Amino acid sequence: MKKIVLILSLVLLSSFCLCTEKPDSGSDDLSDFGSTLVVQFGDTTVNVPLRAVINDSMTTNLINTNDSEIKSDYTSGNYKIIYFEYDSNISNEEGGIVITDLVSKVSFFNNVYPYAIADQTLFNNTQDIEKVKNSNNTLVIQIERTNNSATIEKYNNTYVIEGNSLEELDKAESRFVIAMLS
């Protein structure tokens, strides 16, 4: 009787081992499969909801930049203004929600990283817009619906967040937020 119980116990234990094995995705951190970024500010923990799963966001193509440069530009205090450039006619289904989401996240963290937040609606003419965008005090974040998959590209003081669908824009925006706050 003891042998039967021992054999059944071994079979049961081995079946548990088979059921708990996760597929190898290159990461042992289960938070990579969630869509919430956990950020620590001193003693305060903030859960930042993302529009894409962390693991999917990491497939975003970075051109002329990297995560540490994005974080440095956002957190260093070298810039006083964040100027958002986007197509104001883009619908939420086409990517407009990404713009709203990123602006709200930057606004939420404005107590920690203070910026004047601006876009084209604050100016009467293009000369004023160009003056602000070309200032050494301005970090420009341009969000575009393009033919490219999820991409973040930097040139001068401008980050271009782009994608060919709402899903790809979500990945690129989430990657930008992860880099900003990690």
Side-chain angles (χ1 to χ4, degrees):
M1 180 71 174
K2 289 182 181 182
K3 287 184 179 183
I4 294 175
V5 171
L6 180 62
I7 292 171
L8 288 175
S9 297
L10 287 173
V11 169
L12 184 62
L13 285 173
S14 62
S15 69
F16 283 136
C17 292
L18 292 173
C19 293
T20 58
E21 185 177 329
K22 68 175 184 144
D24 184 15
S25 66
S27 174
D28 291 331
D29 186 356
L30 293 178
S31 67
D32 286 347
F33 302 100
S35 57
T36 301
L37 179 66
V38 180
V39 182
Q40 192 74 30
F41 294 103
D43 294 338
T44 305
T45 301
V46 179
N47 292 324
V48 181
L50 301 171
R51 293 198 41 82
V53 175
I54 292 171
N55 214 26
D56 291 343
S57 300
M58 301 315 281
T59 64
T60 299
N61 188 23
L62 299 178
I63 300 173
N64 297 327
T65 192
N66 56 47
D67 291 329
S68 60
E69 183 178 33
I70 294 169
K71 179 177 180 142
S72 175
D73 282 347
Y74 179 69
T75 61
S76 68
N78 293 336
Y79 297 105
K80 306 299 179 212
I81 301 167
I82 292 184
Y83 181 87
F84 287 97
E85 186 168 33
Y86 54 90
D87 178 359
S88 59
N89 295 320
I90 193 168
S91 69
N92 282 341
E93 296 79 21
E94 294 293 311
I97 191 72
V98 171
I99 298 161
T100 304
D101 188 64
L102 186 55
V103 170
S104 68
K105 284 179 172 70
V106 170
S107 298
F108 180 81
F109 289 102
N110 212 13
N111 289 336
V112 180
Y113 306 110
Y115 287 98
I117 299 171
D119 67 6
Q120 65 264 24
T121 62
L122 298 176
F123 301 96
N124 293 325
N125 60 55
T126 56
Q127 290 173 329
D128 290 341
I129 292 172
E130 290 305 313
K131 186 186 282 186
V132 168
K133 284 174 42 179
N134 294 320
S135 167
N136 290 335
N137 291 321
T138 304
L139 179 63
V140 178
I141 300 174
Q142 183 177 337
I143 301 170
E144 289 186 4
R145 178 81 184 255
T146 65
N147 292 328
N148 296 332
S149 59
T151 304
I152 299 171
E153 181 175 2
K154 183 180 184 192
Y155 61 92
N156 300 326
N157 65 329
T158 301
Y159 285 98
V160 179
I161 298 171
E162 60 184 313
N164 58 14
S165 65
L166 179 58
E167 181 181 337
E168 293 297 306
L169 279 168
D170 285 344
K171 287 180 196 178
E173 184 246 356
S174 294
R175 175 70 180 265
F176 192 81
V177 171
I178 292 166
M180 277 179 8
L181 299 174
S182 292

